[in-house]
Amino acid sequence: EAEVAQSPRYKITEKSQAVAFWCDPISGHATLYWYRQILGQGPELLVQFQDESVVDDSQLPKDRFSAERLKGVDSTLKIQPAELGDSAMYLCASSQYGNYNSPLHFGNGTRLTVT
Amino acid sequence: RKEVEQDPGPFNVPEGATVAFNCTYSNSASQSFFWYRQDCRKEPKLLMSVYSSGNEDGRFTAQLNRASQYISLLIRDSKLSDSATYLCVVLNTGGFKTIFGAGTRLFVKA
C-alpha cells in the first residue's frame, strides 16, 4: 500500500464549485509534488515544493489553482472554480531529496469528476 | 515536440515473449532516468532506475544511450502480470524537474 497519504480518493463536484485535495508525504521527504493525470496520458507536474517553498509551478493554472505546504510537511491543492476540463486523477508524490538520486513515491491519487 | 516521447502502443504479446520499449528525450542536459509501471487506475510505481552502463533486474533490462538521447526497457519471458502501462521518466537539472512520458501500454496474453 502507498505510503504517501492522499484524500479523498474520489471527488465529484459541480462546475464552478471549489474543491480541495490533501496530501501527507512519506515522513522525512523534503520534496513534494502535485501531478495531474488525464486518462491515457502521463502525469503532468502542477507544482513542486522543496520543504515549504515552491520550486516549480510553471504549469499550475494560477487563476484557479493554488497549492500550499505551510509547515513543509503536508500539502493542500485547491481548485476554485472547478471546470469540466479539470476532471482527472490528481497524484501527490514525494521524494527524499528532490535530486537525481531520489525517485518519486506516489500516493493513491484523488480521482476528480467535474459535472 | 514533447520533452519525453514514448510509443503509446498498445503492445500485444503472448506469454513468454520478449518485448522492448523505447523512450526519447529532448533535453541533452537530462540527468537521471527511470522506468515506472502503472496499473489501470492505480498510481505509478518505480520499476527501475536507468544507469549509464545499463542495468538489469531479473527479467527487466534498462539501457541508456546519451548520444542518441533515448532509453529503453526490455522485458524477457513476459508474464500476464506484466500487463500495465510503462512510463518513461526523465529528471532535468536546474530545479530537478521530473518529466513523465505518456506511457506505453503492454498487454500480455495467455
Side-chain angles (χ1 to χ4, degrees):
Chain A
E1 189 172 356
E3 297 174 46
V4 174
Q6 283 189 252
S7 66
R9 288 293 303 276
Y10 304 93
K11 180 69 178 179
I12 301 174
T13 191
E14 291 183 349
K15 187 175 62 171
S16 79
Q17 296 298 304
V19 63
F21 314 131
W22 175 81
C23 172
D24 191 13
I26 293 172
S27 179
H29 278 198
T31 310
L32 185 147
Y33 311 78
W34 283 102
Y35 282 88
R36 175 172 61 186
Q37 186 174 26
I38 296 170
L39 197 62
Q41 299 181 19
E44 173 196 21
L45 180 67
L46 293 174
V47 61
Q48 177 178 339
F49 290 93
Q50 184 69 26
D51 298 309
E52 66 275 7
S53 300
V54 173
V55 295
D56 187 345
D57 63 356
S58 56
Q59 300 301 311
L60 188 71
K62 298 181 187 64
D63 57 334
R64 297 185 301 108
F65 286 65
S66 64
E68 60 183 15
R69 193 184 184 198
L70 292 176
K71 297 182 180 179
V73 182
D74 60 340
S75 175
T76 302
L77 178 69
K78 297 179 181 177
I79 308 174
Q80 182 173 19
E83 295 181 353
L84 296 177
D86 296 332
S87 295
M89 173 79 89
Y90 290 82
L91 292 159
C92 178
S94 69
S95 67
Q96 192 167 9
Y97 303 116
N99 65 19
Y100 56 86
N101 281 329
S102 296
L104 274 61
H105 300 266
F106 284 88
N108 291 321
T110 295
R111 186 168 298 279
L112 173 67
T113 302
V114 182
T115 62
Chain B
R1 182 186 174 191
K2 293 182 179 179
E3 289 191 69
V4 179
E5 295 201 67
Q6 295 183 249
D7 182 345
F11 286 65
N12 293 288
V13 302
E15 271 188 295
T18 296
V19 61
F21 310 135
N22 283 336
C23 166
T24 59
Y25 60 95
S26 62
N27 188 339
S28 59
S30 296
Q31 186 74 25
S32 299
F33 309 88
F34 306 92
W35 284 102
Y36 278 70
R37 171 196 168 122
Q38 186 171 27
D39 293 306
C40 188
R41 296 184 169 270
K42 296 290 184 68
E43 75 277 16
K45 293 185 178 179
L46 178 66
L47 179 65
M48 59 196 302
S49 301
V50 185
Y51 302 123
S52 296
S53 56
N55 48 299
E56 191 173 302
D57 182 2
R59 298 180 294 107
F60 299 84
T61 300
Q63 297 279 352
L64 167 64
N65 185 318
R66 285 192 182 273
S68 299
Q69 295 183 202
Y70 77 84
I71 66 172
S72 63
L73 178 67
L74 181 77
I75 305 175
R76 290 181 300 277
D77 189 23
S78 298
K79 311 293 185 187
L80 294 176
S81 58
D82 293 333
S83 296
T85 295
Y86 291 84
L87 297 162
C88 169
V89 182
V90 173
L91 181 62
N92 292 333
T93 55
F96 299 108
K97 187 173 181 179
T98 304
I99 303 170
F100 283 75
T104 297
R105 297 192 70 186
L106 172 65
F107 294 102
V108 181
K109 303 170 295 182

